Amino acid sequence: MRNKTMILLIWQMAVNAACGQEQWTFERPYVWARDTDTAVLEQQDTVLVVKHQGSGDWSLGGFARIPVQPGEIFETVCKMMTESRDETATASTGVVVRDDKGKELDWSYGGTSVHAPCEWSVMKSRFVVPGNAASIEPLVIGQGPVAVRVDGYVVKRVGSMRDRIQANLPQEMTLDGKGIRFTVNCADASVAVTDQRTGRVWAQADGISGWVLLNAVAAPDQQSLALTLLNPETVSEVRAVFTVSTEAPELGVEISAAGELTKPLDFPRPFATRAGDRLIVPVNEGMGYPVNEPHAGLYRMVAYGGHGICMGFFGVAEDKTGAGWMCLLETPDDAAMNAYRDHHGWWLAGPSWDAQKGRFGYPRKARYVFFDRGGHVAMCKRYQAHAKRCGLYIPFAEKLKRNPNIDLLIGAANIWRLGGGTADPVELAKEMQQLGMDRLLWSAGGSASEIKGLRALPKVLVGRYDIYQDIMDPANHDKIGYVHGDWVTAAFPHDLNWSAPNGSWRRGWEVKAKDGAMIPCAVICDSKALPYARKRIADELATKAYSARFIDTTVAAPWFECYHPDHPMSRSQSRQYKMDLLKLVVESGLVCGSETGHEASVPFCDYFEGMLSVGPYRVPDSGRDMLRIWHEVPELLTKYQVGEAYRLPLWELVYHDCVVAQWYWGDYNNKLPQIWHKRDLFNALYGTPPMYLFDIKQWHEKKAQFAASYKIAQPVSRATGYSAMIDHRILTPDRKVQQTVFANGVTVTVNFGDTPFKTADGPEIPASDVQIKGMN
């Protein structure tokens, strides 16, 4: 092997010399991994093989640093194959960009990327050297457990773009809207917005750019600018039309391009931030991140699935004044929020656009809204107006007309009784009601007679779990410990989602085999799920009179593309098929629930299990080990999941009177006894009902605590279920005292602190307690 390696290196160096350093390849290949001892590098003839076992990032290096000049065009090309059972695993080509002092400006510039698994593919891309770059260093980078084979990685200098710039452009061009001025710097293609009410200039962040303005044309009315730009990471033209509003401090942008899109397009670039700013992110219920602090769980989040941003906006607000901006994604189906730290260490966020079946596709639209006050509340109310115009905002007052059982949902504690046992569900529900837990959503299903008995009880909604996404290959049934009764096995293999044109079916939930290995399920194409659901639901309702149905994964999972030749599908089509599935539940006369939650399903879904539980901060394996009670609270869960310094009720400020938000079934009120009471306080503050999951042993041991918890967590959810949340106030600098206000006059003040808080009108709220006003 040593001799083969030496021969290869000599050959590579000879190629470089023969090309006069216009072409480069690996000289001394090496691998690096974030997680120690998780990556190895092997060589098989000319193929370099990286085997990475960790969940973190890794890189394959070994190129020399290449001196560059701004404006030069480089091309990268190689063949790559990836293998992984984890579909989140990725591999990308790209370069590290450094300035003349050797400081890294970008760790992954240019290049193209693939998700695993992927057969041998040609990875080819071009990029323009940005204006502040002095050298580049090609790499292959990746994330997650994956085996990557790389062959023939070559980087070439292929030209310059200087002759493509329109001559005689002015230094800058401006548009004046209501309360704002929009400015384009023609020299570096950067944009800025001056809020004339506050004086703050929201300028794009310093650092690497490379975008080149080829031409700019103002409309005759001086309300819009049409820019032709060169995307430096792909050397492709992008057209962006910016339009200011004369009626509100808002700036719209429409982006179009032709051809392939080999990596996400981050445009417009993010505005710079400063100390005192807070990044407002609607991930699940909502978070607010101070931009000058390090944060776990903050990253690029797609707008097309429940485990990204659940509403199509994000923004920045000043903690002190509430002034700021929001970016409203008007075409969210292939969009994301890309959050990252700049070279100063500050968090930034901007819109990011994914390819539609490998191409740029349709025009992408976003709208920037600027505020001189109001912060996250003002953002949510502006977004609520957008949701109403788009038909997403359907309040319970309207849903009640189509299904009177909606009223049973309002204020109902979600009850998951698991673990077997001989306890009669009807007798258990009666006992709960005798203890004062009168309104219940019984989610654990049951026999026909049990369902009939439960429905005969007052104020009880009776549901069951269902799923139309994951199925196991029947060839693996004998290898696993159980075969899920709700898997649609008949869909295998003809109705599976293909994640690539080569026939690779999309991997889903993993199931532990009898030998301890994890075997992935396959994912059904959303376009094929409806007939299976229609038959199952109709057949079951003929014998079991459920009043609710919970459809797992449907809006937690992203909208998926499908490359199967018999049922190809874009993300937009995936979203529509998913909504058709939820609509079927509604049209079957059932109250409809789904996992985690996303606003696209608000017209159809009535409750979301998991919206309250911010995804990145749940306990490990929360979706598998549901019954386990945690007596030690993980640090991230303490800081963020129940951290009043970071949590925000963004979802409630937009959709409180449309959908009931609940904790996740692996992250419920009683999951961690040390913070059980604090979860109850969040339920009260947000006007959301509690969720309890237990086996019969836990019930008997803790029934008094369950009843006491219900008395704190439940009442506001019933009192405000039909009312919008109209305000959320931070009453103390440490954010430990917060207040919510609802449209029907109910006001809830929670003191999360460890000392009493004296309210403005006199009464004192004890530590870790709640004050509720306006309830009848």
Side-chain angles (χ1 to χ4, degrees):
M1 177 61 75
R2 182 178 300 174
N3 290 336
K4 285 186 177 180
T5 301
M6 183 60 68
I7 292 170
L8 178 62
L9 291 179
I10 291 172
W11 174 81
Q12 290 168 338
M13 295 171 69
V15 169
N16 290 349
C19 293
Q21 288 301 291
E22 295 300 304
Q23 177 172 303
W24 293 261
T25 189
F26 286 110
E27 293 184 359
R28 292 179 172 84
Y30 68 90
V31 67
W32 168 91
R34 177 82 55 187
D35 304 324
T36 306
D37 298 328
T38 58
V40 295
L41 176 63
E42 300 175 356
Q43 189 167 332
Q44 300 171 0
D45 294 326
T46 62
V47 178
L48 296 174
V49 184
V50 177
K51 296 181 179 179
H52 182 248
Q53 300 297 321
S55 60
D57 55 323
W58 57 269
S59 65
L60 169 63
F63 278 75
R65 294 188 185 182
I66 304 170
V68 296
Q69 295 291 326
E72 291 180 328
I73 300 173
F74 280 77
E75 179 180 271
T76 67
V77 62
C78 70
K79 291 194 295 182
M80 185 182 294
M81 183 175 76
T82 61
E83 298 173 305
S84 179
R85 293 192 307 181
D86 184 346
E87 285 198 350
T88 65
T90 60
S92 307
T93 58
V95 300
V96 181
V97 180
R98 295 181 174 90
D99 64 16
D100 57 2
K101 294 181 177 59
K103 183 178 180 180
E104 289 79 12
L105 302 175
D106 195 316
W107 286 98
S108 179
Y109 184 78
T112 187
S113 61
V114 294
H115 284 270
C118 179
E119 298 296 328
W120 280 110
S121 302
V122 175
M123 307 279 284
K124 186 176 182 179
S125 68
R126 290 190 171 195
F127 62 87
V128 177
V129 176
N132 45 0
S135 71
I136 60 173
E137 181 185 353
L139 296 173
V140 176
I141 64 172
Q143 184 87 24
V146 66
V148 178
R149 287 171 167 78
V150 181
D151 190 15
Y153 194 178
V154 173
V155 177
K156 303 176 184 178
R157 193 187 336 253
V158 295
S160 175
M161 42 62 61
R162 296 182 184 278
D163 58 349
R164 297 178 63 178
I165 301 175
Q166 178 70 32
N168 301 320
L169 285 175
Q171 181 176 347
E172 66 178 31
M173 301 178 72
T174 62
L175 299 173
D176 288 314
K178 184 176 178 61
I180 60 171
R181 168 166 285 188
F182 172 68
T183 303
V184 178
N185 184 319
C186 297
D188 63 9
S190 65
V191 304
V193 177
T194 301
D195 191 323
Q196 296 168 330
R197 301 162 300 173
T198 66
R200 181 159 181 181
V201 179
W202 295 98
Q204 288 178 319
D206 295 335
I208 192 166
S209 168
W211 280 87
V212 179
L213 181 61
L214 301 177
N215 198 11
V217 179
D221 63 2
Q222 295 297 305
Q223 299 304 303
S224 65
L225 275 174
L227 309 182
T228 303
L229 304 114
L230 194 71
N231 179 355
E233 296 195 74
T234 60
V235 198
S236 59
E237 288 191 7
V238 174
R239 177 180 168 84
V241 180
F242 289 91
T243 304
V244 295
S245 172
T246 58
E247 298 179 354
E250 301 187 3
L251 171 71
V253 59
E254 179 174 306
I255 309 155
S256 56
E260 295 182 347
L261 185 61
T262 57
K263 64 182 300 183
L265 176 68
D266 294 341
F267 186 88
R269 293 188 293 115
F271 292 129
T273 56
R274 65 191 187 194
D277 289 347
R278 187 174 293 262
L279 181 58
I280 308 302
V281 183
V283 51
N284 306 126
E285 181 65 49
M287 299 294 292
Y289 299 96
V291 299
N292 57 328
E293 297 179 10
H295 296 294
L298 182 55
Y299 38 70
R300 185 179 192 269
M301 298 182 182
V302 301
Y304 48 84
H307 288 299
I309 54 175
C310 299
M311 297 182 284
F313 77 92
F314 56 91
V316 169
E318 298 175 355
D319 276 344
K320 186 175 181 180
T321 68
W325 58 268
M326 68 182 290
C327 178
L328 194 160
L329 300 170
E330 295 181 321
T331 53
D333 282 352
D334 298 283
M337 175 204 73
N338 193 17
Y340 59 93
R341 299 177 81 180
D342 68 7
H343 61 285
H344 299 298
W346 304 106
W347 283 97
L348 314 172
S352 185
W353 310 99
D354 287 331
Q356 183 191 48
K357 303 298 285 285
R359 304 184 67 81
F360 188 90
Y362 57 93
R364 314 302 177 90
K365 297 181 181 180
R367 176 169 297 274
Y368 290 85
V369 183
F370 296 87
F371 303 93
D372 59 353
R373 66 177 73 89
H376 66 280
V377 176
M379 292 184 194
C380 288
K381 292 309 168 185
R382 172 62 182 85
Y383 192 77
Q384 187 181 65
H386 167 77
K388 288 179 178 180
R389 284 198 300 271
C390 294
L392 294 174
Y393 183 92
I394 308 295
F396 280 128
E398 291 298 317
K399 292 182 176 183
L400 186 66
K401 296 175 183 177
R402 72 188 186 201
N403 188 347
N405 284 331
I406 288 292
D407 192 61
L408 295 176
L409 175 70
I410 305 301
N414 194 337
I415 307 298
W416 280 98
R417 199 288 308 270
L418 300 181
T422 58
D424 181 353
V426 179
E427 293 304 313
L428 178 57
K430 287 180 179 178
E431 184 180 15
M432 298 176 83
Q433 291 187 323
Q434 289 166 1
L435 290 169
M437 302 172 67
D438 58 337
R439 292 188 172 273
L440 306 174
L441 165 56
W442 181 269
S443 290
S447 66
S449 61
E450 289 169 343
I451 293 166
K452 182 178 180 180
L454 287 166
R455 288 205 61 179
L457 299 176
K459 305 177 184 178
V460 177
L461 186 67
V462 187
R464 68 94 104 195
Y465 171 99
D466 202 357
I467 186 170
Y468 297 94
Q469 175 173 295
D470 295 305
I471 57 173
M472 180 60 68
D473 181 348
N476 292 324
H477 283 187
D478 290 339
K479 301 177 184 179
I480 56 180
Y482 72 96
V483 176
H484 199 297
D486 292 322
W487 286 339
V488 186
T489 302
F492 197 95
H494 46 282
D495 289 339
L496 298 187
N497 181 299
W498 283 14
S499 58
N502 61 17
S504 298
W505 47 262
R506 192 176 297 278
R507 270 62 174 169
W509 183 255
E510 291 190 336
V511 178
K512 181 176 285 190
K514 295 173 184 177
D515 63 2
M518 301 300 291
I519 301 178
C521 287
V523 172
I524 302 174
C525 181
D526 294 314
S527 69
K528 310 302 288 185
L530 196 62
Y532 298 109
R534 183 177 291 112
K535 183 178 189 310
R536 176 186 291 173
I537 293 172
D539 288 352
E540 192 168 52
L541 286 177
T543 58
K544 295 184 176 182
Y546 289 111
S547 49
R549 202 173 192 94
F550 171 78
I551 308 297
D552 198 10
T553 75
T554 295
V555 294
W559 321 152
F560 286 127
E561 292 183 335
C562 181
Y563 290 84
H564 195 294
D566 294 338
H567 42 85
M569 182 175 66
S570 67
R571 290 191 187 94
S572 295
Q573 291 168 326
S574 170
R575 170 183 52 78
Q576 186 57 58
Y577 287 124
K578 286 172 180 278
M579 297 311 108
D580 288 345
L581 173 61
L582 299 173
K583 184 179 179 182
L584 170 67
V585 177
V586 173
E587 292 177 342
S588 299
L590 301 170
V591 174
C592 180
S594 193
E595 182 191 356
T596 303
H598 189 282
E599 66 174 345
S601 61
V602 169
F604 313 103
C605 275
D606 307 307
Y607 67 98
F608 291 137
E609 290 192 10
M611 179 59 75
L612 283 181
S613 298
V614 184
Y617 312 120
R618 300 171 185 174
V619 296
D621 280 333
S622 59
R624 297 182 184 277
D625 199 0
M626 283 93 73
L627 271 172
R628 177 185 172 186
I629 299 299
W630 284 65
H631 296 286
E632 297 294 328
V633 184
E635 180 182 352
L636 289 182
L637 194 148
T638 299
K639 181 176 180 179
Y640 295 109
Q641 189 71 277
V642 292
E644 67 277 1
Y646 301 98
R647 285 195 69 120
L648 293 172
L650 304 181
W651 181 266
E652 307 310 317
L653 284 163
V654 179
Y655 290 117
H656 176 77
D657 57 334
C658 299
V659 179
V660 173
Q662 301 170 349
W663 300 105
Y664 181 57
W665 71 341
D667 186 58
Y668 40 87
N669 287 65
N670 56 301
K671 180 75 172 181
L672 299 99
Q674 289 187 42
I675 59 167
W676 185 345
H677 179 65
K678 194 169 188 181
R679 284 191 194 269
D680 295 344
L681 293 178
F682 272 113
N683 281 122
L685 182 67
Y686 291 1
T688 58
M691 172 187 280
Y692 306 115
L693 185 146
F694 50 82
D695 59 18
I696 197 63
K697 180 176 182 291
Q698 292 175 28
W699 168 254
H700 287 311
E701 292 174 349
K702 299 288 186 180
K703 66 176 68 176
Q705 191 170 350
F706 282 114
S709 166
Y710 181 93
K711 292 175 183 177
I712 297 170
Q714 185 272 345
V716 179
S717 66
R718 178 62 189 176
T720 66
Y722 292 103
S723 298
M725 180 187 286
I726 60 174
D727 203 2
H728 173 242
R729 302 163 181 166
I730 309 296
L731 301 185
T732 57
D734 61 6
R735 305 175 77 89
K736 289 189 178 297
V737 183
Q738 301 186 17
Q739 185 178 82
T740 52
V741 181
F742 297 87
N744 63 349
V746 173
T747 300
V748 183
T749 308
V750 169
N751 178 10
F752 291 109
D754 53 12
T755 59
F757 173 77
K758 187 174 179 59
T759 62
D761 55 358
E764 190 173 77
I765 305 176
S768 298
D769 208 347
V770 58
Q771 179 193 83
I772 304 170
K773 292 185 175 182
M775 283 179 50
N776 295 329

